[in-house]
Amino acid sequence: SDLQKQEERGELLQPLIFVLLVLCSVLLYFKVSLMDPGFVKAEEEAKAGKSEERSMVIAQVPSHIKMRRCGYCMVKQPMRAKHCQLCQHCVRRYDHHCPWIENCVGEKNHPLFIVYLSVQLIVLLWGGHVAWSGLYFEQSWDWLQHNIFLLMSFLLIVIFTIVVLLLLMSHLYLISCNTTTWEFMSHHRISYLRHSELENPFDQGVVLNFWKFFC
């Protein structure tokens, strides 16, 4: 493969960058998996979150929409929070529960989740290129026996690359609209969206949406 040839020639910069990217991807995975996604832990925290969120959208969201008490956690949910049955917690700005990381994606870890997906996509694209560069095709049984592992690895990388790319693109689109996966999928069931005069009362324009999300 290309990386192997560069290593044999003593050109170690690209192999080293590739290894560092893989390591960074693994560390980001554990960070996003293990960190608090934004659990609502106390009623007074929920009130603080409510006042901050409402101050941004007070003109768009009807004033009669009140915080409701979660029937599972027994805490008052701030706006855009949702109870996760798998985590057994209410999560601020709940996006979805990701089986990939075995954790919720919410207010605190959503930006880092996007960074993780981006790094993972770079690693997969580079890994796919490395696997492809190591393949040479011959129509023989011996060739298939010697290259079956590399061929299967390449096909798996292609599948994972498509999945990660689609996931990253969908999340970037939702961020540009300042909405979440849960709000997008369940718009008709969420009171503060169903009774709002605007289709999305949180949308403040693409640039400001990205700025507020990442900064």
Side-chain angles (χ1 to χ4, degrees), residues 43-212:
E43 189 170 317
E44 49 270 20
E45 291 181 0
K47 289 180 179 179
K50 173 194 173 187
S51 60
E52 180 181 353
E53 194 70 66
R54 281 191 178 277
S55 66
M56 295 171 54
V57 292
I58 188 131
Q60 294 88 351
V61 178
S63 58
H64 66 272
I65 303 297
K66 305 297 182 182
M67 283 196 307
R68 65 185 185 89
R69 188 175 294 277
C70 176
Y72 300 95
C73 301
M74 301 309 294
V75 297
K76 285 188 176 180
Q77 290 181 336
M79 193 176 293
R80 311 190 80 177
K82 182 183 181 296
H83 182 85
C84 175
Q85 297 280 10
L86 295 173
C87 291
Q88 293 298 309
H89 284 287
C90 288
V91 180
R92 296 179 182 277
R93 201 182 182 279
Y94 175 86
D95 189 87
H96 70 289
H97 183 91
C98 180
W100 196 339
I101 63 173
E102 280 297 322
N103 194 12
C104 281
V105 176
E107 184 179 77
K108 289 186 178 180
N109 66 346
H110 199 172
L112 201 61
F113 180 72
I114 299 300
V115 175
Y116 163 68
L117 288 179
S118 302
V119 174
Q120 188 68 56
L121 181 61
I122 295 172
V123 170
L124 286 169
L125 289 172
W126 199 342
H129 172 73
V130 170
W132 179 261
S133 67
L135 287 171
Y136 60 94
F137 294 95
E138 294 180 7
Q139 294 182 353
S140 67
W141 178 248
D142 289 337
W143 176 88
L144 186 61
Q145 283 184 316
H146 285 91
N147 291 272
I148 185 66
F149 178 75
L150 189 59
L151 188 60
M152 290 180 63
S153 299
F154 177 74
L155 292 176
L156 282 174
I157 289 173
V158 169
I159 293 171
F160 283 125
T161 300
I162 293 173
V163 171
V164 172
L165 179 61
L166 292 175
L167 189 60
L168 179 60
M169 289 176 62
S170 65
H171 273 276
L172 290 176
Y173 168 74
L174 293 175
I175 293 168
S176 71
C177 301
N178 195 1
T179 189
T180 64
T181 302
W182 173 57
E183 290 172 342
F184 182 78
M185 300 293 292
S186 306
H187 188 280
H188 61 287
R189 294 194 290 113
I190 302 173
S191 58
Y192 59 81
L193 295 179
R194 190 172 67 247
H195 299 294
S196 173
E197 296 178 359
L198 301 177
E199 184 176 354
N200 180 12
F202 303 104
D203 188 5
Q204 296 179 295
V206 175
V207 175
L208 195 57
N209 289 339
F210 272 107
W211 176 262
K212 288 185 175 295

